[in-house]
Coordinates of all heavy atoms in Angstrom, one line a residue:
P30 N 32.2 -51.8 -23.9 CA 30.8 -51.6 -24.3 C 30.6 -51.6 -25.8 O 31.6 -51.4 -26.6 CB 30.6 -50.2 -23.8 CG 31.9 -49.5 -23.5 CD 32.9 -50.7 -23.4
S31 N 29.4 -52.0 -26.2 CA 29.2 -52.1 -27.7 C 29.2 -50.7 -28.3 O 29.5 -50.6 -29.5 CB 27.9 -52.9 -27.9 OG 26.8 -52.2 -27.3
D32 N 28.8 -49.7 -27.6 CA 28.8 -48.3 -28.2 C 29.7 -47.5 -27.4 O 29.4 -46.9 -26.4 CB 27.4 -47.8 -28.1 CG 27.2 -46.4 -28.9 OD1 28.3 -45.8 -29.1 OD2 26.1 -46.1 -29.2
I33 N 31.0 -47.5 -27.8 CA 32.1 -46.9 -27.1 C 31.8 -45.4 -26.9 O 31.9 -44.8 -25.8 CB 33.4 -47.2 -27.7 CG1 33.7 -48.7 -27.4 CG2 34.5 -46.3 -27.1 CD1 34.9 -49.2 -28.1
P34 N 31.5 -44.7 -28.0 CA 31.3 -43.2 -27.9 C 30.2 -42.9 -26.9 O 30.3 -41.9 -26.1 CB 31.0 -42.7 -29.3 CG 31.5 -43.8 -30.2 CD 31.4 -45.1 -29.4
A35 N 29.1 -43.6 -26.9 CA 28.0 -43.3 -26.0 C 28.4 -43.6 -24.6 O 28.0 -42.8 -23.7 CB 26.8 -44.2 -26.4
A36 N 29.1 -44.7 -24.4 CA 29.6 -45.0 -23.0 C 30.5 -43.9 -22.5 O 30.5 -43.5 -21.3 CB 30.2 -46.4 -23.0
A37 N 31.4 -43.5 -23.4 CA 32.4 -42.4 -23.0 C 31.6 -41.1 -22.7 O 32.0 -40.5 -21.7 CB 33.4 -42.2 -24.1
L38 N 30.7 -40.8 -23.5 CA 29.9 -39.5 -23.2 C 29.1 -39.6 -21.9 O 29.1 -38.7 -21.2 CB 29.0 -39.2 -24.4 CG 28.4 -37.8 -24.5 CD1 29.5 -36.7 -24.4 CD2 27.6 -37.6 -25.7
A39 N 28.6 -40.8 -21.7 CA 27.8 -41.0 -20.4 C 28.8 -40.9 -19.2 O 28.5 -40.3 -18.2 CB 27.2 -42.4 -20.4
A40 N 30.0 -41.5 -19.3 CA 31.0 -41.3 -18.3 C 31.4 -39.9 -18.0 O 31.5 -39.4 -16.9 CB 32.2 -42.2 -18.6
W41 N 31.5 -39.2 -19.1 CA 31.9 -37.7 -19.1 C 30.8 -37.0 -18.3 O 31.1 -36.2 -17.4 CB 32.1 -37.2 -20.5 CG 32.4 -35.7 -20.5 CD1 31.6 -34.7 -20.6 CD2 33.7 -35.2 -20.3 NE1 32.3 -33.5 -20.6 CE2 33.6 -33.8 -20.4 CE3 35.0 -35.7 -20.1 CZ2 34.7 -32.9 -20.2 CZ3 36.1 -34.9 -20.0 CH2 35.9 -33.5 -20.0
R42 N 29.6 -37.2 -18.7 CA 28.4 -36.5 -18.1 C 28.2 -36.9 -16.7 O 27.6 -36.1 -15.9 CB 27.2 -36.7 -19.0 CG 27.3 -36.0 -20.3 CD 26.1 -36.2 -21.2 NE 26.2 -35.4 -22.4 CZ 25.5 -35.7 -23.5 NH1 24.7 -36.8 -23.6 NH2 25.7 -35.0 -24.6
N43 N 28.7 -38.1 -16.3 CA 28.6 -38.5 -14.9 C 29.8 -38.0 -14.1 O 30.0 -38.4 -12.9 CB 28.5 -40.0 -14.8 CG 27.1 -40.5 -15.2 OD1 26.1 -39.8 -14.9 ND2 27.1 -41.7 -15.8
G44 N 30.7 -37.2 -14.7 CA 31.8 -36.6 -14.0 C 33.0 -37.4 -13.9 O 33.9 -37.2 -13.0
D45 N 33.2 -38.4 -14.8 CA 34.4 -39.2 -14.8 C 35.2 -39.1 -16.1 O 35.1 -39.9 -17.0 CB 34.0 -40.7 -14.6 CG 35.1 -41.6 -14.2 OD1 36.3 -41.2 -14.5 OD2 34.9 -42.7 -13.7
P46 N 36.0 -38.0 -16.2 CA 36.7 -37.7 -17.5 C 37.8 -38.8 -17.7 O 38.1 -39.1 -18.9 CB 37.3 -36.4 -17.3 CG 37.3 -36.1 -15.8 CD 36.2 -36.9 -15.3
H47 N 38.3 -39.4 -16.7 CA 39.3 -40.4 -16.9 C 38.7 -41.6 -17.5 O 39.3 -42.2 -18.5 CB 40.0 -40.8 -15.5 CG 41.1 -41.7 -15.7 ND1 41.0 -43.1 -15.7 CD2 42.5 -41.5 -15.8 CE1 42.2 -43.6 -15.9 NE2 43.1 -42.7 -15.9
L48 N 37.6 -42.1 -17.1 CA 36.9 -43.2 -17.7 C 36.5 -42.9 -19.1 O 36.7 -43.7 -20.0 CB 35.7 -43.6 -16.9 CG 34.9 -44.8 -17.5 CD1 35.7 -46.0 -17.6 CD2 33.6 -45.0 -16.6
A49 N 36.0 -41.7 -19.3 CA 35.6 -41.3 -20.7 C 36.7 -41.3 -21.7 O 36.6 -42.0 -22.8 CB 35.0 -39.9 -20.7
T50 N 37.8 -40.7 -21.4 CA 38.9 -40.7 -22.3 C 39.6 -42.1 -22.4 O 40.0 -42.5 -23.5 CB 40.0 -39.7 -22.0 OG1 40.4 -39.8 -20.6 CG2 39.5 -38.3 -22.2
S51 N 39.6 -42.8 -21.3 CA 40.1 -44.2 -21.3 C 39.3 -45.1 -22.2 O 39.8 -45.9 -23.0 CB 40.1 -44.8 -19.9 OG 40.5 -46.1 -19.9
L52 N 38.0 -45.0 -22.2 CA 37.1 -45.8 -23.1 C 37.4 -45.6 -24.5 O 37.6 -46.5 -25.3 CB 35.6 -45.6 -22.8 CG 35.1 -46.2 -21.5 CD1 33.7 -45.6 -21.2 CD2 35.0 -47.7 -21.6
L53 N 37.5 -44.3 -24.9 CA 37.8 -43.9 -26.2 C 39.2 -44.4 -26.7 O 39.4 -45.0 -27.7 CB 37.7 -42.4 -26.4 CG 36.3 -41.8 -26.3 CD1 36.4 -40.3 -26.3 CD2 35.4 -42.3 -27.4
Y54 N 40.2 -44.2 -25.8 CA 41.6 -44.6 -26.1 C 41.7 -46.1 -26.3 O 42.2 -46.6 -27.3 CB 42.5 -44.0 -25.1 CG 44.0 -44.3 -25.4 CD1 44.6 -43.7 -26.5 CD2 44.7 -45.3 -24.7 CE1 45.9 -44.0 -26.8 CE2 46.0 -45.6 -25.1 CZ 46.6 -45.0 -26.1 OH 47.9 -45.3 -26.4
R55 N 41.2 -46.8 -25.3 CA 41.3 -48.3 -25.3 C 40.5 -48.9 -26.5 O 40.9 -49.8 -27.1 CB 40.8 -48.9 -24.0 CG 41.8 -48.6 -22.9 CD 41.5 -49.3 -21.6 NE 40.3 -48.6 -21.0 CZ 39.2 -49.3 -20.6 NH1 39.2 -50.6 -20.5 NH2 38.2 -48.6 -20.1
G56 N 39.3 -48.3 -26.8 CA 38.5 -48.7 -27.9 C 39.3 -48.5 -29.2 O 39.3 -49.3 -30.1
A57 N 40.0 -47.4 -29.4 CA 40.7 -47.1 -30.6 C 41.9 -48.1 -30.7 O 42.2 -48.6 -31.8 CB 41.3 -45.7 -30.5
I58 N 42.5 -48.4 -29.6 CA 43.6 -49.3 -29.6 C 43.1 -50.7 -30.0 O 43.8 -51.4 -30.9 CB 44.3 -49.4 -28.2 CG1 45.1 -48.2 -27.8 CG2 45.2 -50.7 -28.1 CD1 46.3 -47.9 -28.7
C59 N 42.0 -51.1 -29.5 CA 41.4 -52.4 -29.9 C 41.2 -52.4 -31.5 O 41.5 -53.4 -32.1 CB 40.1 -52.6 -29.2 SG 40.3 -53.1 -27.5
W60 N 40.6 -51.3 -32.0 CA 40.4 -51.3 -33.4 C 41.7 -51.3 -34.2 O 41.8 -52.0 -35.2 CB 39.7 -50.0 -33.8 CG 39.2 -50.0 -35.2 CD1 38.0 -50.4 -35.7 CD2 40.0 -49.5 -36.4 NE1 38.0 -50.3 -37.1 CE2 39.2 -49.7 -37.5 CE3 41.3 -48.9 -36.5 CZ2 39.7 -49.4 -38.8 CZ3 41.7 -48.6 -37.8 CH2 40.9 -48.8 -38.9
L61 N 42.7 -50.6 -33.7 CA 44.0 -50.6 -34.4 C 44.6 -52.0 -34.5 O 45.2 -52.4 -35.5 CB 45.0 -49.7 -33.7 CG 44.7 -48.2 -33.8 CD1 45.7 -47.4 -32.9 CD2 44.7 -47.7 -35.2
V62 N 44.4 -52.8 -33.4 CA 45.0 -54.2 -33.3 C 44.1 -55.1 -34.1 O 44.6 -55.9 -34.9 CB 45.1 -54.6 -31.9 CG1 45.5 -56.1 -31.8 CG2 46.2 -53.8 -31.2
E63 N 42.8 -55.1 -33.8 CA 41.9 -56.1 -34.4 C 41.5 -55.8 -35.8 O 41.5 -56.8 -36.6 CB 40.6 -56.2 -33.5 CG 40.9 -56.8 -32.1 CD 39.7 -56.8 -31.2 OE1 38.6 -56.6 -31.7 OE2 39.9 -56.9 -30.0
A64 N 41.1 -54.6 -36.1 CA 40.6 -54.3 -37.5 C 41.7 -53.9 -38.4 O 41.7 -54.4 -39.6 CB 39.5 -53.2 -37.4
A65 N 42.6 -53.0 -38.0 CA 43.6 -52.6 -38.9 C 44.9 -53.4 -38.9 O 45.8 -53.3 -39.7 CB 44.0 -51.1 -38.5
K66 N 44.9 -54.4 -37.9 CA 46.1 -55.3 -37.8 C 47.4 -54.6 -37.6 O 48.4 -55.1 -38.2 CB 46.1 -56.3 -39.0 CG 44.8 -57.0 -39.3 CD 44.5 -58.0 -38.2 CE 43.2 -58.8 -38.6 NZ 42.4 -59.2 -37.5
L67 N 47.4 -53.5 -36.9 CA 48.7 -52.8 -36.7 C 49.5 -53.6 -35.6 O 48.9 -54.2 -34.7 CB 48.5 -51.4 -36.2 CG 47.9 -50.5 -37.2 CD1 47.8 -49.1 -36.7 CD2 48.6 -50.5 -38.5
P68 N 50.8 -53.6 -35.8 CA 51.7 -54.5 -34.9 C 52.0 -53.8 -33.5 O 53.1 -53.6 -33.2 CB 53.0 -54.6 -35.7 CG 53.0 -53.3 -36.5 CD 51.6 -53.0 -36.8
L69 N 50.9 -53.5 -32.8 CA 51.1 -53.0 -31.4 C 51.5 -54.1 -30.5 O 51.0 -55.2 -30.6 CB 49.9 -52.3 -30.9 CG 49.3 -51.2 -31.8 CD1 48.0 -50.6 -31.2 CD2 50.3 -50.1 -32.0
I70 N 52.4 -53.8 -29.5 CA 52.7 -54.7 -28.5 C 52.5 -54.1 -27.1 O 52.4 -52.9 -27.0 CB 54.2 -55.2 -28.6 CG1 55.2 -54.0 -28.6 CG2 54.4 -56.0 -29.9 CD1 56.6 -54.4 -28.6
D71 N 52.4 -54.9 -26.1 CA 52.1 -54.5 -24.7 C 53.0 -53.3 -24.2 O 52.6 -52.5 -23.5 CB 52.1 -55.6 -23.7 CG 51.0 -56.6 -23.9 OD1 50.0 -56.2 -24.6 OD2 51.1 -57.7 -23.4
S72 N 54.2 -53.4 -24.6 CA 55.2 -52.3 -24.1 C 55.2 -51.0 -24.9 O 55.9 -50.1 -24.5 CB 56.6 -52.9 -24.1 OG 57.0 -53.3 -25.4
D73 N 54.4 -50.9 -26.0 CA 54.3 -49.7 -26.7 C 53.8 -48.6 -25.9 O 52.8 -48.7 -25.1 CB 53.4 -49.9 -27.9 CG 54.1 -50.6 -29.1 OD1 55.3 -50.6 -29.1 OD2 53.3 -51.0 -30.0
T74 N 54.4 -47.4 -26.0 CA 53.9 -46.2 -25.3 C 52.9 -45.6 -26.2 O 52.7 -46.0 -27.4 CB 55.1 -45.2 -25.2 OG1 55.5 -44.8 -26.5 CG2 56.3 -45.8 -24.4
E75 N 52.3 -44.5 -25.7 CA 51.3 -43.8 -26.5 C 52.0 -43.2 -27.8 O 51.4 -43.3 -28.9 CB 50.7 -42.6 -25.7 CG 49.7 -43.1 -24.6 CD 50.4 -43.4 -23.3 OE1 51.6 -43.4 -23.2 OE2 49.6 -43.5 -22.3
A76 N 53.2 -42.7 -27.7 CA 53.9 -42.2 -28.8 C 54.2 -43.3 -29.8 O 54.1 -43.1 -31.1 CB 55.3 -41.6 -28.4
D77 N 54.5 -44.5 -29.4 CA 54.7 -45.7 -30.3 C 53.4 -46.0 -31.0 O 53.4 -46.3 -32.2 CB 55.1 -46.9 -29.5 CG 56.5 -46.9 -28.9 OD1 57.3 -46.1 -29.5 OD2 56.7 -47.5 -27.8
C78 N 52.2 -45.9 -30.3 CA 51.0 -46.2 -30.9 C 50.6 -45.1 -32.0 O 50.1 -45.5 -33.0 CB 49.9 -46.2 -29.8 SG 50.0 -47.6 -28.7
I79 N 50.9 -43.9 -31.7 CA 50.7 -42.8 -32.7 C 51.6 -43.2 -34.0 O 51.2 -43.1 -35.1 CB 51.0 -41.4 -32.2 CG1 49.9 -41.0 -31.2 CG2 51.1 -40.4 -33.3 CD1 50.2 -39.7 -30.5
R80 N 52.8 -43.5 -33.7 CA 53.7 -43.9 -34.8 C 53.2 -45.0 -35.6 O 53.2 -45.0 -36.9 CB 55.1 -44.2 -34.3 CG 56.2 -44.3 -35.4 CD 57.6 -44.7 -34.9 NE 57.6 -46.1 -34.6 CZ 57.6 -46.6 -33.3 NH1 57.7 -45.8 -32.3 NH2 57.7 -47.9 -33.1
H81 N 52.7 -46.1 -35.0 CA 52.1 -47.2 -35.7 C 50.9 -46.8 -36.5 O 50.7 -47.3 -37.6 CB 51.7 -48.3 -34.7 CG 52.9 -49.1 -34.2 ND1 53.8 -49.8 -34.9 CD2 53.3 -49.3 -32.9 CE1 54.7 -50.4 -34.2 NE2 54.4 -50.1 -32.9
S82 N 50.1 -45.9 -35.9 CA 48.9 -45.5 -36.6 C 49.2 -44.7 -37.9 O 48.3 -44.6 -38.7 CB 48.0 -44.6 -35.7 OG 48.5 -43.3 -35.5
S83 N 50.4 -44.2 -38.0 CA 50.7 -43.5 -39.3 C 50.7 -44.5 -40.5 O 50.7 -44.1 -41.6 CB 52.1 -42.9 -39.2 OG 53.1 -43.8 -39.1
G84 N 50.6 -45.8 -40.2 CA 50.5 -46.8 -41.2 C 49.1 -47.0 -41.7 O 48.8 -47.7 -42.7
L85 N 48.1 -46.3 -41.1 CA 46.7 -46.4 -41.6 C 46.6 -45.6 -42.9 O 47.2 -44.6 -43.1 CB 45.8 -45.7 -40.6 CG 45.6 -46.4 -39.2 CD1 44.8 -45.5 -38.3 CD2 45.0 -47.7 -39.4
E86 N 45.8 -46.2 -43.8 CA 45.6 -45.5 -45.1 C 44.7 -44.3 -45.0 O 44.7 -43.4 -45.8 CB 44.9 -46.5 -46.1 CG 45.9 -47.6 -46.4 CD 45.2 -48.6 -47.4 OE1 44.1 -48.3 -47.9 OE2 45.8 -49.7 -47.6
D87 N 43.9 -44.2 -43.9 CA 42.9 -43.2 -43.7 C 43.5 -42.1 -42.9 O 43.7 -42.2 -41.6 CB 41.7 -43.7 -43.0 CG 40.5 -42.7 -42.9 OD1 40.8 -41.5 -42.9 OD2 39.4 -43.2 -42.6
A88 N 43.8 -40.9 -43.5 CA 44.4 -39.8 -42.7 C 43.5 -39.2 -41.7 O 44.0 -38.8 -40.6 CB 44.8 -38.7 -43.7
D89 N 42.2 -39.3 -41.9 CA 41.3 -38.8 -40.8 C 41.4 -39.7 -39.6 O 41.4 -39.1 -38.4 CB 39.9 -38.8 -41.3 CG 39.6 -37.7 -42.4 OD1 40.4 -36.7 -42.4 OD2 38.7 -37.9 -43.2
R90 N 41.5 -41.0 -39.7 CA 41.7 -41.8 -38.5 C 43.1 -41.6 -37.9 O 43.2 -41.6 -36.7 CB 41.6 -43.3 -38.9 CG 40.2 -43.8 -39.1 CD 40.2 -45.3 -39.3 NE 38.8 -45.7 -39.4 CZ 38.3 -46.5 -40.4 NH1 39.1 -46.9 -41.4 NH2 37.1 -46.9 -40.4
Q91 N 44.1 -41.4 -38.7 CA 45.4 -41.0 -38.1 C 45.3 -39.8 -37.3 O 45.8 -39.7 -36.1 CB 46.4 -40.8 -39.2 CG 46.9 -42.0 -40.0 CD 47.8 -41.6 -41.1 OE1 48.6 -40.6 -41.0 NE2 47.8 -42.4 -42.2
D92 N 44.7 -38.7 -37.8 CA 44.6 -37.4 -37.1 C 43.7 -37.6 -35.9 O 44.1 -37.1 -34.8 CB 44.0 -36.4 -38.0 CG 44.9 -36.0 -39.2 OD1 46.1 -36.3 -39.1 OD2 44.4 -35.4 -40.2
Y93 N 42.6 -38.3 -36.0 CA 41.7 -38.5 -34.8 C 42.5 -39.2 -33.7 O 42.4 -38.8 -32.6 CB 40.5 -39.3 -35.2 CG 39.6 -39.6 -34.1 CD1 38.4 -38.8 -33.9 CD2 39.8 -40.6 -33.2 CE1 37.6 -39.1 -32.8 CE2 39.0 -40.9 -32.1 CZ 37.9 -40.1 -31.9 OH 37.0 -40.3 -30.8
F94 N 43.2 -40.3 -34.1 CA 43.9 -41.0 -33.0 C 45.0 -40.2 -32.4 O 45.2 -40.3 -31.1 CB 44.6 -42.3 -33.6 CG 45.2 -43.1 -32.6 CD1 44.4 -43.8 -31.7 CD2 46.6 -43.2 -32.5 CE1 45.0 -44.6 -30.6 CE2 47.2 -44.0 -31.5 CZ 46.4 -44.7 -30.6
A95 N 45.7 -39.3 -33.1 CA 46.7 -38.4 -32.5 C 46.0 -37.5 -31.5 O 46.6 -37.3 -30.4 CB 47.4 -37.7 -33.6
V96 N 44.9 -36.9 -31.9 CA 44.2 -35.9 -31.0 C 43.7 -36.7 -29.8 O 43.9 -36.2 -28.7 CB 43.0 -35.2 -31.8 CG1 42.1 -34.5 -30.8 CG2 43.6 -34.3 -32.9
L97 N 43.1 -37.8 -30.0 CA 42.6 -38.6 -28.9 C 43.7 -39.0 -27.9 O 43.6 -38.9 -26.7 CB 41.9 -39.9 -29.4 CG 41.5 -40.9 -28.4 CD1 40.6 -40.3 -27.3 CD2 40.9 -42.1 -29.0
T98 N 44.8 -39.4 -28.5 CA 46.0 -39.9 -27.6 C 46.5 -38.7 -26.8 O 46.8 -38.8 -25.6 CB 47.1 -40.5 -28.5 OG1 46.5 -41.6 -29.2 CG2 48.2 -40.9 -27.6
N99 N 46.6 -37.5 -27.4 CA 47.0 -36.3 -26.7 C 46.0 -36.0 -25.5 O 46.4 -35.6 -24.4 CB 47.2 -35.2 -27.6 CG 48.5 -35.4 -28.4 OD1 49.5 -36.0 -28.0 ND2 48.5 -34.9 -29.6
E100 N 44.7 -36.1 -25.8 CA 43.7 -35.9 -24.8 C 43.8 -36.9 -23.7 O 43.7 -36.6 -22.5 CB 42.3 -35.8 -25.3 CG 42.0 -34.7 -26.3 CD 42.0 -33.3 -25.6 OE1 42.3 -33.2 -24.4 OE2 41.6 -32.4 -26.3
W101 N 44.1 -38.2 -24.0 CA 44.2 -39.2 -23.0 C 45.5 -39.0 -22.2 O 45.4 -39.1 -20.9 CB 44.4 -40.6 -23.7 CG 45.0 -41.7 -22.9 CD1 46.1 -42.3 -23.0 CD2 44.4 -42.2 -21.6 NE1 46.4 -43.2 -22.0 CE2 45.3 -43.1 -21.1 CE3 43.2 -41.9 -20.9 CZ2 45.1 -43.8 -20.0 CZ3 43.0 -42.6 -19.7 CH2 43.9 -43.5 -19.3
I102 N 46.6 -38.6 -22.8 CA 47.8 -38.3 -22.0 C 47.6 -37.2 -21.0 O 47.9 -37.3 -19.9 CB 49.0 -38.0 -23.0 CG1 49.4 -39.3 -23.7 CG2 50.1 -37.4 -22.2 CD1 50.4 -39.0 -24.9
S103 N 46.9 -36.1 -21.5 CA 46.7 -35.0 -20.7 C 45.8 -35.3 -19.5 O 46.0 -34.9 -18.4 CB 46.0 -33.9 -21.5 OG 45.8 -32.7 -20.8
T104 N 44.8 -36.2 -19.8 CA 43.9 -36.6 -18.7 C 44.5 -37.5 -17.7 O 44.4 -37.3 -16.5 CB 42.6 -37.2 -19.3 OG1 42.0 -36.3 -20.2 CG2 41.6 -37.6 -18.2
A105 N 45.2 -38.6 -18.3 CA 45.7 -39.6 -17.4 C 46.9 -39.2 -16.6 O 47.1 -39.6 -15.5 CB 46.1 -40.8 -18.3
Y106 N 47.8 -38.4 -17.2 CA 49.1 -38.1 -16.6 C 49.2 -36.7 -16.0 O 49.9 -36.4 -15.1 CB 50.2 -38.3 -17.5 CG 50.3 -39.7 -18.1 CD1 50.1 -40.0 -19.4 CD2 50.4 -40.9 -17.2 CE1 50.1 -41.3 -19.9 CE2 50.4 -42.1 -17.7 CZ 50.3 -42.4 -19.1 OH 50.3 -43.6 -19.6
N107 N 48.4 -35.8 -16.6 CA 48.4 -34.4 -16.1 C 47.2 -33.9 -15.4 O 47.1 -32.8 -15.0 CB 48.7 -33.5 -17.3 CG 49.9 -33.8 -18.1 OD1 50.9 -34.2 -17.5 ND2 49.9 -33.6 -19.4
Q108 N 46.2 -34.9 -15.2 CA 45.0 -34.5 -14.6 C 44.3 -33.3 -15.2 O 43.8 -32.4 -14.5 CB 45.1 -34.4 -13.1 CG 45.3 -35.7 -12.3 CD 46.7 -36.3 -12.5 OE1 47.7 -35.5 -12.4 NE2 46.8 -37.5 -12.9
A109 N 44.5 -33.2 -16.5 CA 43.9 -32.0 -17.3 C 43.0 -32.6 -18.4 O 43.4 -32.8 -19.5 CB 45.0 -31.2 -17.9
P110 N 41.7 -32.9 -18.0 CA 40.8 -33.5 -19.0 C 40.5 -32.5 -20.2 O 40.7 -31.3 -20.0 CB 39.6 -33.8 -18.2 CG 39.6 -32.9 -17.0 CD 41.1 -32.7 -16.8
P111 N 40.0 -33.0 -21.3 CA 39.6 -32.2 -22.4 C 38.4 -31.3 -22.0 O 37.7 -31.6 -21.0 CB 39.2 -33.2 -23.5 CG 39.0 -34.5 -22.8 CD 39.7 -34.4 -21.5
S112 N 38.1 -30.3 -22.8 CA 36.9 -29.5 -22.6 C 35.7 -30.3 -23.0 O 35.7 -31.3 -23.6 CB 37.0 -28.2 -23.5 OG 36.9 -28.6 -24.9
D113 N 34.5 -29.8 -22.6 CA 33.2 -30.4 -23.0 C 33.2 -30.5 -24.5 O 32.8 -31.5 -25.0 CB 32.1 -29.6 -22.5 CG 31.9 -29.7 -21.0 OD1 32.4 -30.6 -20.3 OD2 31.2 -28.8 -20.4
A114 N 33.5 -29.4 -25.2 CA 33.4 -29.4 -26.7 C 34.4 -30.4 -27.3 O 34.0 -31.1 -28.2 CB 33.8 -28.0 -27.2
A115 N 35.6 -30.6 -26.7 CA 36.5 -31.6 -27.2 C 36.0 -33.0 -27.1 O 36.1 -33.8 -28.0 CB 37.9 -31.4 -26.6
I116 N 35.5 -33.3 -25.9 CA 35.0 -34.7 -25.7 C 33.8 -35.0 -26.5 O 33.6 -36.1 -27.1 CB 34.8 -35.0 -24.2 CG1 34.8 -36.5 -23.9 CG2 33.5 -34.4 -23.7 CD1 36.1 -37.2 -23.9
E117 N 32.9 -34.0 -26.6 CA 31.7 -34.2 -27.5 C 32.1 -34.4 -28.9 O 31.6 -35.3 -29.6 CB 30.8 -33.0 -27.3 CG 30.1 -33.0 -26.0 CD 29.3 -31.8 -25.7 OE1 29.0 -31.0 -26.6 OE2 28.8 -31.7 -24.5
K118 N 33.1 -33.7 -29.4 CA 33.6 -33.9 -30.8 C 34.2 -35.2 -31.0 O 34.0 -35.9 -32.0 CB 34.6 -32.8 -31.2 CG 35.1 -32.9 -32.6 CD 36.0 -31.8 -33.0 CE 36.4 -32.0 -34.4 NZ 37.3 -30.9 -34.9
L119 N 35.0 -35.7 -30.0 CA 35.7 -37.0 -30.1 C 34.6 -38.1 -30.1 O 34.7 -39.1 -30.9 CB 36.6 -37.2 -28.9 CG 37.9 -36.5 -28.9 CD1 38.6 -36.6 -27.6 CD2 38.8 -37.0 -30.1
C120 N 33.5 -37.9 -29.4 CA 32.5 -38.9 -29.4 C 31.7 -38.9 -30.7 O 31.3 -39.9 -31.2 CB 31.6 -38.7 -28.1 SG 32.4 -39.2 -26.6
A121 N 31.4 -37.7 -31.1 CA 30.6 -37.5 -32.3 C 31.3 -37.9 -33.6 O 30.6 -38.3 -34.6 CB 30.1 -36.0 -32.5
T122 N 32.6 -37.9 -33.6 CA 33.4 -38.2 -34.8 C 34.1 -39.5 -34.7 O 35.0 -39.8 -35.5 CB 34.4 -37.1 -35.2 OG1 35.3 -36.9 -34.1 CG2 33.6 -35.8 -35.4
W123 N 33.8 -40.4 -33.8 CA 34.4 -41.7 -33.5 C 34.5 -42.5 -34.8 O 33.5 -42.8 -35.4 CB 33.6 -42.4 -32.5 CG 34.0 -43.8 -32.2 CD1 33.4 -45.0 -32.6 CD2 35.1 -44.2 -31.4 NE1 34.1 -46.0 -32.1 CE2 35.2 -45.6 -31.4 CE3 36.1 -43.5 -30.7 CZ2 36.1 -46.3 -30.7 CZ3 37.1 -44.2 -30.1 CH2 37.1 -45.6 -30.1
P124 N 35.7 -42.8 -35.3 CA 35.9 -43.5 -36.6 C 36.3 -44.9 -36.5 O 36.6 -45.6 -37.5 CB 37.1 -42.7 -37.2 CG 38.0 -42.4 -36.0 CD 37.0 -42.1 -34.9
F125 N 36.2 -45.5 -35.3 CA 36.7 -46.9 -35.1 C 35.6 -47.9 -34.8 O 35.5 -48.4 -33.7 CB 37.7 -46.9 -33.9 CG 38.9 -46.0 -34.2 CD1 39.1 -44.9 -33.4 CD2 39.8 -46.3 -35.2 CE1 40.2 -44.0 -33.6 CE2 40.9 -45.4 -35.4 CZ 41.1 -44.3 -34.7
D126 N 34.8 -48.2 -35.7 CA 33.7 -49.2 -35.6 C 34.3 -50.5 -35.6 O 35.0 -51.0 -36.6 CB 32.7 -49.0 -36.8 CG 31.6 -50.0 -36.7 OD1 31.6 -50.9 -35.8 OD2 30.7 -50.0 -37.6
L127 N 34.2 -51.2 -34.5 CA 34.9 -52.5 -34.3 C 34.2 -53.6 -35.2 O 34.8 -54.7 -35.4 CB 34.9 -53.0 -32.9 CG 35.9 -52.2 -32.0 CD1 35.7 -52.6 -30.5 CD2 37.3 -52.3 -32.4
G128 N 33.1 -53.3 -35.8 CA 32.4 -54.2 -36.7 C 32.9 -54.2 -38.1 O 32.5 -55.0 -38.9
R129 N 33.8 -53.2 -38.4 CA 34.3 -53.1 -39.8 C 35.8 -52.9 -39.8 O 36.4 -52.3 -38.9 CB 33.6 -52.1 -40.6 CG 33.9 -50.7 -40.2 CD 33.3 -49.6 -41.2 NE 34.0 -48.4 -40.9 CZ 33.4 -47.4 -40.3 NH1 32.2 -47.4 -39.9 NH2 34.1 -46.2 -40.1
A130 N 36.5 -53.5 -40.8 CA 37.9 -53.4 -40.9 C 38.3 -52.1 -41.6 O 37.5 -51.4 -42.1 CB 38.4 -54.6 -41.7
Q131 N 39.6 -51.9 -41.6 CA 40.1 -50.7 -42.3 C 39.8 -50.8 -43.8 O 40.0 -51.9 -44.4 CB 41.7 -50.6 -42.1 CG 42.3 -49.5 -42.8 CD 43.8 -49.4 -42.6 OE1 44.3 -50.1 -41.8 NE2 44.4 -48.5 -43.3
P132 N 39.3 -49.8 -44.5 CA 39.1 -49.8 -45.9 C 40.3 -49.9 -46.7 O 41.4 -49.7 -46.3 CB 38.3 -48.5 -46.2 CG 38.5 -47.7 -45.0 CD 39.0 -48.5 -43.9

């Protein structure tokens, strides 16, 4: 979707936490590959992706991605989605505009 945070929040409000966190996580991965040009490969795990994101110059994006990844792992593998407040914060503070590259 063109507005990933809005789509994720809509999915959350429609009762689909897996889709909500997946949209955010996949959108962030797209930004890391396309805008930041990080060397992610198909076989990278979530931990590998966090490690690669440490190469970002922006510490706020690094921190956001680590929090988002942990929420994604919890939702996808532990069936323990984030709280309403956590997903709303992730959507409100989304730092991965696919229309702009890493500063």
